[in-house]
Amino acid sequence: MAKVGLFIPCYVDQLYPQVGLAALRILRRLGVDVEYPEEQTCCGQPMANSGCVADAKPLADRFLRVFGHYEHVVAPSASCVSMVRNHYEPFLRGQAGFEHLRRSTFELCEYLTDVVKARKVQGEFRRKVGLHQGCHGLRELRLARSSELVAPAFDKVRSLLSQLDGIEIVPLSRPDECCGFGGTFAVKEEAISSLMGRDRLADHEQAGAEVIAGVDMSCLMHLEGLARRTGKPLQILHVAQILEQARLS
Amino acid sequence: MDHAKSAARFAADEARTHWHDQALYSLRGKRDRAAATIPEWEQLRETAARVKEHTLSRLAEFLEEFERNARRNGIQVHWARDGEEHNAIVHGILARHGATRLVKSKSMLTEECHLNPYLEARGIEVVDTDLGERIVQLAHEPPSHIVVPAIHRKREEIGDLFHRTIGTEAGLSDPKVLTEAARQHLRQKFMAAQVGLSGVNFAIAETGGFVVVTNEGNADMGTSLPPVHIASMGVEKVIPRLKDLGVFLRLLARSATGQPVSSYTTHFHGPMRGGELHVVIVDNGRSQSLASEVFRRSLACIRCGACLNTCPVYRRSGGYSYSYLIPGPIGSVLGPQRDPAAHASLPFASSLCGSCSDVCPVKIDLHHELYAFRQVLVQKGLVPLRKRLAMAILGSVLSRPWAYRLAGRLLRWIVPRLPRWLAYGPWNAWGKQRELPPMPKESFRDLVRKEPP
C-alpha cells in the first residue's frame, strides 16, 4: 500500500493531464511512495458550491472510501483540497477515518513545504512570472498571508518558485485580487466573472509577466480562456509544471 | 431582480465600472494602511468578535440593562417590532410636538424601515443631512453604499444635480465648492428643523448612553439645534460595557475609511436642558436571525462597509445591482434572511473569494455564510430548476466512475469536432468571452498508465 494517494481533480484529469503528471513526477522524484487510485472522480465542490448538498454528499462518501486509508492525500489543486478540509464536515461528521482524512489532505506546494519539508529548489526558469493567488489556497488553506491581514508575510508557493535560477516574479498592483472564476459563478455571473478575469490579465501584463502561474487550474482555465480569446501572448502554467523540471530537496 | 442581470448592465459601461472599482479599491488601500499601523490589529478583531458573540448570546439581558440605565439618564426608550412600528413611533413623537420639519443624519435602519416616504406621506419634510445621503435624496435614489452613499456619482453629475435642485450655478465640479454649496443649503434646514433624528453606532448597556460616529458633524448639528432628538437603533447595536467601546472605535473608522478615528464621535447620555431624547429600539426580523446558529453572526456587523470596498463583485457591479438595500457581501447575507425569495440571487453574487471575511473587523465569516445560504435557497426551492437538475445529473455522473470516464471521453471527442458556431452558441455562457479549455486526446488516467513507476 502506497503512503500517498494522489488526488487529481476531475477537470484536471480530463482537461489538464500534464498538470497531474507534473505533480506525480515531482512526488516520485522526491522518493514519495505515491499512487493514483482509479476509482476517484470528483470532490463534489461544484454541487456543494451551488447549494445542492444532497448531490455532493455521495461524492464526499466516495472520497472517504477511496482515500481514507492513505497516510496522506495530495492534490495539485487548493480549491478541491479546501473542499475536503473545510466543507466535508457536514457530510462526513462522525464517520470512521474522516478526521484523519481531513488532517491528511494537502495541496501539492503545502505538502512539499510542510510535510516533505523540501527547502531547496534547484533548477532554472528564465521567465517573468506573475503569481496568481487562488483565493481558496490563500484564504481557505492559508498558503500565503492574504493582503487583508496584519501579520508577518509568508508565501509557500513563492518560496518554492523564487529559488529557481532566472525566474523573476513580477510585482502586481493588486497582489491577491480574485480572478473571478468562482465555479458556477463563472457562468451564472458571466459578465462580472469575465471582467474580473480581464482585469487580472491586465494587471499581470502591466507588471511585465510572460507567464501566469498558480496552484489552481480552475482559475487558470478561466484566465487562459480569456487570454486566448483576446489574443494575449501570456503563457498560463500550473506551478507543478514549472517545478517539474527542478530538483527539490 | 436577478443580480447577474443588473450587474451585467452596470458593467457594460466598462470605463465607468473601472472608475467605480478603483474608487472603492483605493478605500480598501486606505484601510490596509491604517490597519497596518496597529500591530495588535488581529487581536482587536478577535476581541471584537468575542464581545459581539457574547453580547448576542444574551442580547435580551443587555438590551434590558441598556433600557434601565437609559431611562435613569432621562432618555425615553421605545420598542418597535418592525419598520412600521418604528415609523409610527417616530411620527407620534413628531406629531406630539406639532413638528413638520425633521433633519436626519445617516441611518441605514431608517432606510430599511422606509421612514422617509412614511413621514413625507404625512406632511413632514425630511432632510437627510449627511452629504452623500443628501445627494441621493435630491436625486430620488437609495444609497448605493452604506458608508459612502453617493459613491456611484461623479462630481460633474453632482454639480448638475445641485444646479437642478438647490440652484447652484451650472457646471460646478470642484468638490470643495460643491460641499460648501451643500453646507449653505443644509444650514438653513438645520436652523429650521424642529426635530433631529440620528442613527446609533453603539449603545452601551452599562451606562445607558449611546455613541454616534460621523465625519461631517451633521449628526451633532442636527441633534443639538432642535430640542427633540430621536435615535433609531437595531437591537444588535448594544455592547455590554463602556470599555468595550474602545475596541470597536479603533476598528470602525480604520476599516471604513482608513481614518484613525472619525471626525466626530459623540456620546449621548441624556436630553439637553428642556429638550427630549428618545431611543427607538427596532427588531424588524433581527430576532429571527438571532435564532439561527449559522446566520446569527451577521448581527455582529458594525456597518463599516469594508466588505463592500474589498468585494471584487460589488466594485464591478455597483450598489444598485443588489436587490437588498444593503449591498455587497454583508447585504447578501442579511437580505436573504429577511426575504429569501426576493433576494435569492444574492448569495450567488459572489465568487466566494473570502476577502470579505478577512477584512471584516468583527470577523463575520461572510463567504461561508453565503455558501451556507445557497443550501437554504435550494432547500426552499428558490434556485432555478434548471440549475438543480444540472447539478443532480452532474452529481450522478460523477458518482459512477464508468459514467464519469465515458462522459469525459465523449466531451473530449465531440467538442473539438463541433463547428465554432455550435460550440460557441448563445447557450455557451462560458464561451461568450472565453475560449473553451483544450480537449486533450488522453486523460490523466490514460496517461498515468504509461508513466514509469
Side-chain angles (χ1 to χ4, degrees):
Chain A
M1 168 66 58
K3 194 175 117 176
V4 169
L6 183 63
F7 161 33
I8 299 298
C10 50
Y11 72 100
V12 174
D13 174 30
Q14 294 297 327
L15 304 174
Y16 296 98
Q18 67 281 15
V19 172
L21 289 176
L24 179 70
R25 289 169 188 159
I26 289 169
L27 292 170
R28 289 237 166 107
R29 188 142 0 123
L30 277 163
V32 176
D33 182 15
V34 54
E35 73 180 14
Y36 172 75
E38 289 214 6
E39 325 81 87
Q40 64 177 286
T41 57
C42 164
C43 65
Q45 188 177 188
M47 285 63 79
N49 269 9
S50 305
C52 301
V53 280
D55 301 314
K57 162 98 170 98
L59 290 160
D61 291 336
R62 158 173 289 279
F63 196 95
L64 180 60
R65 271 201 312 279
V66 172
F67 284 106
H69 53 272
Y70 289 100
E71 189 178 334
H72 296 125
V73 180
V74 178
S77 162
S79 193
C80 304
V81 168
S82 168
M83 177 71 195
V84 175
R85 196 180 291 171
N86 301 312
H87 299 292
Y88 267 12
E89 162 86 27
F91 304 130
L92 300 176
R93 187 183 302 138
Q95 285 200 36
F98 169 57
E99 271 312 311
H100 166 75
L101 177 75
R102 174 156 72 172
R103 278 197 310 272
S104 317
T105 303
F106 297 94
E107 184 279 327
L108 177 68
C109 291
E110 187 181 41
Y111 185 73
L112 296 175
T113 309
D114 298 344
V115 182
V116 177
K117 300 197 191 296
R119 291 288 173 263
K120 274 178 74 179
V121 182
Q122 290 165 294
E124 65 167 16
F125 192 71
R126 304 203 170 275
R127 308 288 296 279
K128 290 183 172 180
V129 175
L131 185 56
H132 173 67
Q133 295 285 3
C135 300
H136 289 173
L138 188 66
R139 299 196 189 84
E140 299 265 321
L141 302 185
R142 303 289 176 195
L143 298 182
R145 184 209 58 188
S146 64
S147 60
E148 296 86 7
L149 300 183
V150 179
F154 69 95
D155 186 333
K156 293 177 186 176
V157 180
R158 179 184 284 259
S159 299
L160 293 171
L161 279 187
S162 60
Q163 295 183 48
L164 292 164
D165 289 335
I167 195 168
E168 186 189 332
I169 300 181
V170 297
L172 301 170
S173 70
R174 299 186 184 185
D176 54 17
E177 173 129 319
C178 176
C179 70
F181 171 70
T184 51
F185 177 82
V187 178
K188 169 83 167 52
E189 292 260 3
E190 183 277 331
I192 301 301
S193 166
S194 295
L195 185 56
M196 284 165 70
R198 285 192 280 116
D199 289 350
R200 292 318 305 136
L201 290 178
D203 194 3
H204 284 271
E205 269 193 316
Q206 65 77 30
E210 301 156 354
V211 174
I212 297 181
V215 294
D216 258 312
M217 229 32 237
S218 48
C219 310
L220 298 179
M221 172 169 77
H222 161 72
L223 290 172
E224 184 181 44
L226 290 162
R228 277 173 51 215
R229 175 64 60 86
T230 46
K232 293 193 190 302
L234 288 158
Q235 191 186 0
I236 315 279
L237 289 174
H238 191 280
V239 168
Q241 292 172 289
I242 299 176
L243 291 177
E244 186 186 356
Q245 309 302 329
R247 242 193 114 68
L248 280 75
S249 55
Chain B
M1 185 177 66
D2 182 67
H3 181 270
K5 285 201 186 101
S6 40
R9 259 200 306 279
F10 182 86
D13 185 345
E14 218 163 279
R16 194 182 179 98
T17 303
H18 279 141
W19 164 79
H20 189 263
D21 166 65
Q22 192 53 51
L24 288 152
Y25 194 78
S26 64
L27 264 184
R28 158 74 207 278
K30 286 181 186 169
R31 172 265 173 210
D32 288 356
R33 288 189 290 279
T37 63
I38 309 289
E40 68 275 25
W41 182 258
E42 299 306 329
Q43 196 191 334
L44 267 182
R45 288 176 72 222
E46 183 62 30
T47 308
R50 297 280 177 95
V51 171
K52 281 288 185 182
E53 191 185 350
H54 173 71
T55 311
L56 291 170
S57 74
R58 40 203 297 184
L59 188 60
E61 288 169 45
F62 285 121
L63 283 169
E64 284 171 356
E65 185 186 346
F66 171 75
E67 181 190 29
R68 270 196 311 279
N69 291 326
R71 286 193 199 283
R72 198 168 298 144
N73 293 337
I75 299 173
Q76 302 184 40
V77 180
H78 311 260
W79 297 87
R81 195 180 308 276
D82 53 26
E84 185 71 22
E85 273 191 22
H86 164 266
N87 295 347
I89 290 166
V90 172
H91 181 247
I93 298 167
L94 288 162
R96 225 170 23 255
H97 290 273
T100 53
R101 294 184 301 275
L102 173 73
V103 283
K104 260 177 70 197
S105 61
K106 217 169 149 320
S107 151
M108 287 308 292
L109 175 62
T110 57
E111 292 284 340
E112 175 187 325
C113 298
H114 306 292
L115 177 69
N116 289 17
Y118 181 95
L119 293 179
E120 280 156 7
R122 285 156 183 81
I124 303 214
E125 181 200 47
V126 183
V127 176
D128 280 305
T129 59
D130 170 272
L131 177 56
E133 287 278 348
R134 186 62 180 151
I135 291 167
V136 294
Q137 189 184 29
L138 289 170
H140 302 289
E141 287 175 341
S144 77
H145 186 290
I146 60 175
V147 173
V148 280
I151 188 74
H152 61 293
R153 285 281 165 219
K154 296 194 174 191
R155 51 201 174 136
E156 292 78 12
E157 295 166 1
I158 294 165
D160 283 349
L161 176 73
F162 279 7
H163 175 60
R164 281 186 283 114
T165 52
I166 60 172
T168 55
E169 58 183 285
L172 294 183
S173 66
D174 181 346
K176 269 193 189 143
V177 177
L178 290 171
T179 307
E180 187 53 33
R183 183 174 284 142
Q184 293 307 326
H185 159 76
L186 285 170
R187 187 77 29 135
Q188 321 262 325
K189 302 292 181 187
F190 281 126
M191 298 305 287
Q194 297 147 310
V195 177
L197 187 145
S198 75
V200 169
N201 290 91
F202 304 98
I204 301 146
E206 177 188 49
T207 65
F210 62 91
V211 174
V212 179
V213 173
T214 69
N215 267 328
E216 297 164 18
N218 57 312
D220 306 81
M221 191 84 107
T223 56
S224 44
L225 286 176
V228 181
H229 173 191
I230 305 169
S232 297
M233 62 176 264
V235 289
E236 80 283 17
K237 293 292 179 191
V238 72
I239 56 172
R241 301 162 303 182
L242 183 61
K243 75 176 191 182
D244 302 320
L245 180 66
V247 175
F248 294 100
L249 289 180
R250 292 183 79 196
L251 289 164
L252 178 57
R254 287 185 175 90
S255 296
T257 54
Q259 295 165 282
V261 71
S262 53
S263 308
Y264 298 88
T265 302
T266 308
H267 296 243
F268 294 91
H269 282 102
M272 67 172 81
R273 204 171 301 137
E276 285 177 19
L277 178 51
H278 299 262
V279 171
V280 189
I281 304 174
V282 186
D283 183 340
N284 204 31
R286 285 164 178 73
S287 48
Q288 290 296 318
S289 301
L290 194 63
S292 156
E293 223 171 290
V294 180
F295 301 114
R296 173 185 307 160
R297 294 191 288 270
S298 59
L299 291 176
C301 176
I302 56 172
R303 301 291 191 271
C304 70
C307 64
L308 281 64
N309 304 340
T310 203
C311 178
V313 177
Y314 171 82
R315 281 190 258 112
R316 288 174 183 80
S317 62
Y320 299 150
S321 66
Y322 294 80
S323 50
Y324 190 55
L325 84 151
I326 296 176
I330 183 66
S332 298
V333 171
L334 293 173
Q337 292 183 62
R338 298 292 150 76
D339 187 346
H343 307 299
S345 71
L346 295 185
F348 294 94
S350 165
S351 61
L352 302 181
C353 78
S355 182
C356 46
S357 304
D358 272 5
V359 90
C360 177
V362 292
K363 296 182 88 164
I364 304 171
D365 50 349
L366 287 156
H367 73 297
H368 289 151
E369 301 237 324
L370 292 170
Y371 172 88
F373 216 94
R374 293 176 181 188
Q375 296 165 26
V376 176
L377 292 169
V378 167
Q379 281 156 15
K380 289 185 184 290
L382 293 169
V383 170
L385 184 65
R386 202 164 41 117
K387 185 170 188 173
R388 277 181 288 149
L389 266 177
M391 286 301 151
I393 293 167
L394 186 62
S396 142
V397 168
L398 292 168
S399 298
R400 294 168 178 79
W402 66 266
Y404 159 74
R405 285 195 303 270
L406 181 66
R409 189 156 300 166
L410 278 172
L411 181 82
R412 285 181 286 110
W413 189 84
I414 290 173
V415 172
R417 284 167 176 77
L418 290 176
R420 196 167 170 90
W421 64 266
L422 191 59
Y424 289 91
W427 44 84
N428 181 355
W430 174 275
K432 209 170 157 194
Q433 298 185 59
R434 290 168 283 225
E435 290 298 296
L436 290 164
M439 296 288 157
K441 283 208 170 65
E442 293 175 291
S443 67
F444 173 80
R445 62 185 66 219
D446 298 330
L447 291 170
V448 77
R449 298 206 185 93
K450 304 175 190 168
E451 276 292 291

Coordinates of all heavy atoms in Angstrom, one line a residue, chain A residues 48-53, chain B residues 292 294-295 333 336-337 339-341 344 347-348 368-383 388:
Chain A
A48 N -21.7 21.3 -4.1 CA -21.8 21.9 -2.8 C -21.8 23.4 -2.9 O -22.6 24.1 -2.2 CB -20.6 21.5 -2.0
N49 N -21.0 24.0 -3.8 CA -21.0 25.4 -4.0 C -22.3 26.0 -4.6 O -22.6 27.2 -4.4 CB -19.8 25.8 -5.0 CG -18.5 26.1 -4.2 OD1 -18.5 25.9 -3.0 ND2 -17.6 26.7 -4.9
S50 N -23.0 25.1 -5.2 CA -24.3 25.6 -5.7 C -25.4 25.4 -4.7 O -26.6 25.6 -5.0 CB -24.7 24.8 -7.0 OG -23.6 24.9 -7.9
G51 N -25.1 24.9 -3.6 CA -26.1 24.7 -2.5 C -26.8 23.3 -2.6 O -27.6 23.0 -1.8
C52 N -26.4 22.5 -3.7 CA -27.0 21.2 -3.9 C -26.3 20.2 -3.1 O -25.6 19.3 -3.6 CB -27.0 20.9 -5.4 SG -27.9 22.1 -6.3
V53 N -26.4 20.2 -1.8 CA -25.6 19.4 -0.9 C -26.0 17.9 -1.0 O -25.1 17.0 -0.8 CB -25.6 19.8 0.6 CG1 -24.7 21.0 0.8 CG2 -27.0 20.2 1.0
Chain B
S292 N -30.9 31.7 14.4 CA -30.2 30.8 13.6 C -28.7 30.7 14.0 O -28.0 31.7 14.1 CB -30.2 31.2 12.1 OG -29.1 30.7 11.4
V294 N -26.2 29.6 12.5 CA -25.3 29.9 11.4 C -25.3 31.4 11.1 O -24.3 32.1 11.0 CB -25.6 29.1 10.1 CG1 -24.6 29.5 9.0 CG2 -25.5 27.7 10.4
F295 N -26.5 32.0 10.9 CA -26.6 33.3 10.4 C -26.6 34.4 11.5 O -26.6 35.6 11.2 CB -27.8 33.4 9.5 CG -27.7 32.5 8.3 CD1 -28.6 31.4 8.2 CD2 -26.7 32.6 7.4 CE1 -28.5 30.5 7.2 CE2 -26.5 31.7 6.4 CZ -27.4 30.6 6.3
V333 N -25.9 38.6 2.8 CA -26.2 37.6 3.9 C -27.5 38.1 4.6 O -28.3 37.3 5.0 CB -25.0 37.5 4.9 CG1 -25.4 36.8 6.1 CG2 -23.8 36.9 4.2
P336 N -31.3 38.0 2.2 CA -32.0 36.8 2.1 C -32.6 36.3 3.4 O -33.5 35.5 3.4 CB -30.9 35.8 1.6 CG -29.9 36.7 0.9 CD -29.9 37.9 1.7
Q337 N -32.0 36.7 4.6 CA -32.6 36.3 5.8 C -33.9 36.9 6.0 O -34.8 36.4 6.6 CB -31.6 36.7 7.0 CG -30.3 35.9 7.0 CD -29.5 36.3 8.2 OE1 -29.9 36.1 9.4 NE2 -28.3 36.8 8.0
D339 N -35.9 38.1 3.5 CA -36.9 37.7 2.4 C -36.1 36.8 1.4 O -35.6 37.3 0.4 CB -37.5 38.9 1.8 CG -38.6 38.5 0.8 OD1 -38.7 37.3 0.4 OD2 -39.4 39.4 0.4
P340 N -36.1 35.5 1.7 CA -35.3 34.6 0.8 C -35.7 34.7 -0.7 O -34.9 34.7 -1.6 CB -35.5 33.2 1.4 CG -36.1 33.4 2.7 CD -36.8 34.8 2.7
A341 N -37.0 34.8 -0.9 CA -37.5 34.7 -2.3 C -37.1 36.0 -3.1 O -36.6 36.0 -4.2 CB -39.0 34.6 -2.4
A344 N -33.0 35.9 -3.7 CA -32.5 34.6 -3.9 C -31.2 34.6 -4.7 O -30.4 33.7 -4.7 CB -33.5 33.7 -4.5
P347 N -26.9 35.4 -2.6 CA -25.8 34.5 -2.1 C -25.0 34.0 -3.3 O -23.9 33.5 -3.1 CB -26.6 33.4 -1.4 CG -27.8 34.1 -0.9 CD -28.2 35.0 -2.1
F348 N -25.5 34.1 -4.5 CA -24.7 33.6 -5.7 C -23.9 34.7 -6.3 O -23.2 34.5 -7.3 CB -25.7 32.9 -6.7 CG -26.3 31.7 -6.2 CD1 -27.6 31.7 -5.6 CD2 -25.6 30.5 -6.2 CE1 -28.1 30.6 -5.1 CE2 -26.2 29.3 -5.7 CZ -27.5 29.4 -5.2
H368 N -18.5 32.1 4.0 CA -19.0 30.9 4.5 C -20.5 31.0 4.7 O -21.3 30.1 4.5 CB -18.3 30.3 5.7 CG -16.9 29.9 5.4 ND1 -15.9 29.9 6.4 CD2 -16.4 29.4 4.3 CE1 -14.8 29.4 5.8 NE2 -15.0 29.1 4.6
E369 N -21.0 32.2 5.1 CA -22.4 32.4 5.3 C -23.1 32.4 3.9 O -24.2 31.9 3.8 CB -22.7 33.7 6.0 CG -22.0 33.8 7.4 CD -23.0 34.0 8.5 OE1 -23.9 34.8 8.3 OE2 -22.8 33.5 9.6
L370 N -22.4 33.0 2.9 CA -23.0 33.0 1.6 C -23.1 31.5 1.1 O -24.1 31.1 0.5 CB -22.2 33.8 0.6 CG -22.2 35.3 0.9 CD1 -21.1 36.0 0.1 CD2 -23.5 35.9 0.6
Y371 N -22.0 30.8 1.3 CA -22.0 29.4 0.9 C -23.2 28.6 1.6 O -23.9 27.9 0.9 CB -20.6 28.8 1.3 CG -20.5 27.3 1.2 CD1 -20.0 26.8 0.0 CD2 -20.7 26.5 2.2 CE1 -19.8 25.4 -0.2 CE2 -20.5 25.1 2.1 CZ -20.1 24.6 0.9 OH -19.9 23.2 0.8
A372 N -23.3 28.9 2.9 CA -24.4 28.2 3.6 C -25.8 28.6 3.2 O -26.7 27.8 3.1 CB -24.2 28.4 5.1
F373 N -25.9 29.9 2.8 CA -27.3 30.3 2.4 C -27.7 29.7 1.1 O -28.9 29.5 0.8 CB -27.4 31.8 2.4 CG -28.8 32.3 2.9 CD1 -29.0 32.6 4.2 CD2 -29.9 32.3 2.0 CE1 -30.2 33.0 4.6 CE2 -31.1 32.6 2.4 CZ -31.3 33.0 3.8
R374 N -26.7 29.4 0.2 CA -27.1 28.7 -1.0 C -27.9 27.4 -0.8 O -28.8 27.1 -1.5 CB -25.8 28.5 -1.8 CG -25.1 29.7 -2.3 CD -23.8 29.5 -3.0 NE -23.2 30.7 -3.4 CZ -22.2 30.8 -4.2 NH1 -21.6 29.7 -4.6 NH2 -21.7 32.0 -4.5
Q375 N -27.5 26.7 0.3 CA -28.2 25.5 0.7 C -29.6 25.7 1.1 O -30.5 25.0 0.8 CB -27.4 24.7 1.8 CG -26.0 24.3 1.3 CD -25.1 23.9 2.5 OE1 -25.6 23.5 3.6 NE2 -23.8 24.0 2.3
V376 N -29.7 26.8 1.9 CA -31.1 27.2 2.4 C -32.0 27.4 1.1 O -33.1 27.0 1.1 CB -31.0 28.4 3.3 CG1 -32.4 28.9 3.7 CG2 -30.2 28.2 4.5
L377 N -31.4 28.2 0.2 CA -32.2 28.5 -1.0 C -32.6 27.3 -1.8 O -33.7 27.2 -2.3 CB -31.4 29.5 -1.9 CG -31.2 30.9 -1.3 CD1 -30.2 31.7 -2.1 CD2 -32.6 31.6 -1.2
V378 N -31.7 26.3 -1.9 CA -32.0 25.1 -2.6 C -33.1 24.3 -1.9 O -34.1 23.9 -2.5 CB -30.7 24.2 -2.8 CG1 -31.1 22.8 -3.2 CG2 -29.8 24.8 -3.8
Q379 N -33.0 24.3 -0.5 CA -34.0 23.6 0.3 C -35.4 24.2 0.1 O -36.4 23.6 0.1 CB -33.6 23.6 1.8 CG -32.6 22.5 2.1 CD -31.8 22.9 3.4 OE1 -32.2 23.8 4.1 NE2 -30.6 22.3 3.6
K380 N -35.4 25.5 0.0 CA -36.6 26.3 -0.1 C -37.2 26.2 -1.6 O -38.2 26.9 -1.8 CB -36.5 27.7 0.3 CG -36.3 27.9 1.8 CD -36.3 29.4 2.2 CE -36.0 29.6 3.6 NZ -37.1 29.3 4.5
G381 N -36.4 25.6 -2.5 CA -36.9 25.6 -3.9 C -36.7 26.9 -4.6 O -37.5 27.2 -5.5
L382 N -35.8 27.7 -4.1 CA -35.7 29.1 -4.7 C -34.5 29.2 -5.7 O -34.2 30.3 -6.1 CB -35.5 30.1 -3.6 CG -36.8 30.3 -2.7 CD1 -36.4 31.2 -1.5 CD2 -37.9 31.0 -3.5
V383 N -33.9 28.0 -6.0 CA -32.9 28.0 -7.0 C -33.5 27.4 -8.3 O -34.3 26.5 -8.2 CB -31.7 27.2 -6.5 CG1 -30.7 26.9 -7.6 CG2 -31.0 27.8 -5.3
R388 N -30.7 23.1 -10.6 CA -30.8 22.0 -9.7 C -30.7 20.7 -10.4 O -30.0 19.7 -10.0 CB -32.1 22.0 -8.8 CG -31.9 22.9 -7.6 CD -33.2 23.0 -6.8 NE -34.2 23.7 -7.5 CZ -35.5 23.5 -7.3 NH1 -35.9 22.5 -6.6 NH2 -36.4 24.2 -8.0

